Amino acid sequence: EVQLLESGGALVQPGGSLRLSCAASGFSFSSHAMNWVRQAPGKGLEWVSMIIGNGGNTYYTDSVKGRFTISRDNSKNTLYLQMNSLRAEDTAVYYCAKDLLSSNSGYNYWGQGTLVTVSS
Amino acid sequence: DIQMTQSPSSLSASVGDRVTITCRASQSIRNYLNWYQQNPGKAPKLLINAASSLQSGVPSRFSGSGSGTDFTLTISSLQPEDFVTYYCQQSYSNPYTFGQGTKLEI
């Protein structure tokens, strides 16, 4: 059974940092691109970042470039999102999501989400 | 960036109705179009990928079509559990943008 379990969400002050983790199991982790998608309270879905299976390529939405870093440890089947210089507009539930195929194919498994609140 | 425009943003319907949700891309995305269903407070669920490929376990009343810039999600006969929110997403190029969502209401 595929499982994705996020952790690391918290209340953080503007300008602060946070690292999210997503522990994966039940599939060949290194064979799939992984993504972070967020959803601000009462709003729609926003794709944040993607990393391909071997970690060699990463992609970001413009609003987080230079502040967020996606990474993965295939030996630990874990995905990360390092978030620095956090802003109020980063407040959201953050989901990790697995690509159906190697990449660019839709996300067939999602974690339960972890809440990041940026506020003073 | 590719913009995804969904319509309508909300839709009132009844059990048994046939409904269609439209998603338009700002440029051609070939068939790199995915549809998700989201229940309140839950993670999204992939219904259809590659514009028309129904995911395993998804009821056959759901169908997708389109290519290039114009896509549709059709629900042939609405069931009570279908009155939630639906999103399209392009997976053609980074950033992999979502539509703004369509909320189905009774």
Side-chain angles (χ1 to χ4, degrees):
Chain A
E1 179 192 5
V2 172
Q3 288 192 327
L4 298 172
L5 185 61
E6 299 104 335
S7 60
L11 171 63
V12 61
Q13 292 189 338
S17 298
L18 210 55
R19 188 176 85 155
L20 305 183
S21 300
C22 172
S25 60
F27 66 101
S28 178
F29 184 68
S30 62
S31 297
H32 294 268
M34 295 294 295
N35 301 265
W36 288 100
V37 176
R38 67 185 179 184
Q39 188 167 35
K43 302 297 184 182
L45 300 171
E46 181 185 22
W47 175 82
V48 174
S49 184
M50 183 184 91
I51 184 168
I52 65 169
N54 64 11
N57 290 89
T58 59
Y59 306 90
Y60 301 91
T61 193
D62 283 348
S63 63
V64 309
K65 281 180 184 174
R67 301 189 299 122
F68 289 12
T69 302
I70 191 172
S71 62
R72 64 193 296 161
D73 185 336
N74 287 345
S75 69
K76 295 182 178 179
N77 287 354
T78 303
L79 174 73
Y80 303 100
L81 186 67
Q82 178 66 44
M83 303 186 295
N84 298 331
S85 302
L86 282 161
R87 306 167 180 168
E89 54 264 35
D90 296 318
T91 294
V93 173
Y94 284 72
Y95 296 101
C96 65
K98 165 192 168 292
D99 254 87
L100 172 67
L101 302 175
S102 58
S103 66
N104 299 84
S105 53
Y107 312 148
N108 65 334
Y109 285 95
W110 297 62
Q112 83 287 354
T114 188
L115 178 61
V116 173
T117 303
V118 184
S119 175
S120 55
Chain B
D1 297 0
I2 297 174
Q3 309 303 318
M4 304 301 294
T5 303
Q6 259 182 265
S7 61
S9 55
S10 65
L11 178 58
S12 293
S14 300
V15 173
D17 284 354
R18 177 185 179 92
V19 298
T20 297
I21 299 169
T22 297
C23 186
R24 175 164 289 175
S26 59
Q27 65 186 74
S28 177
I29 56 171
R30 295 167 57 186
N31 72 334
Y32 286 83
L33 192 282
N34 312 304
W35 289 100
Y36 300 87
Q37 177 191 64
Q38 188 179 30
N39 282 274
K42 300 294 187 183
K45 173 186 176 182
L46 180 64
L47 298 176
I48 289 168
N49 83 308
S52 60
S53 181
L54 193 69
Q55 294 304 292
S56 174
V58 175
S60 59
R61 63 181 180 272
F62 291 92
S63 64
S65 66
S67 67
T69 61
D70 294 319
F71 302 86
T72 59
L73 173 69
T74 299
I75 311 173
S76 60
S77 178
L78 281 170
Q79 299 301 300
E81 61 268 29
D82 299 338
F83 290 89
V84 292
T85 302
Y86 296 85
Y87 294 92
C88 62
Q89 182 211 19
Q90 63 85 13
S91 51
Y92 180 74
S93 70
N94 161 50
Y96 302 109
T97 39
F98 288 88
Q100 77 277 20
T102 295
K103 185 174 183 180
L104 275 186
E105 300 171 314
I106 295 179

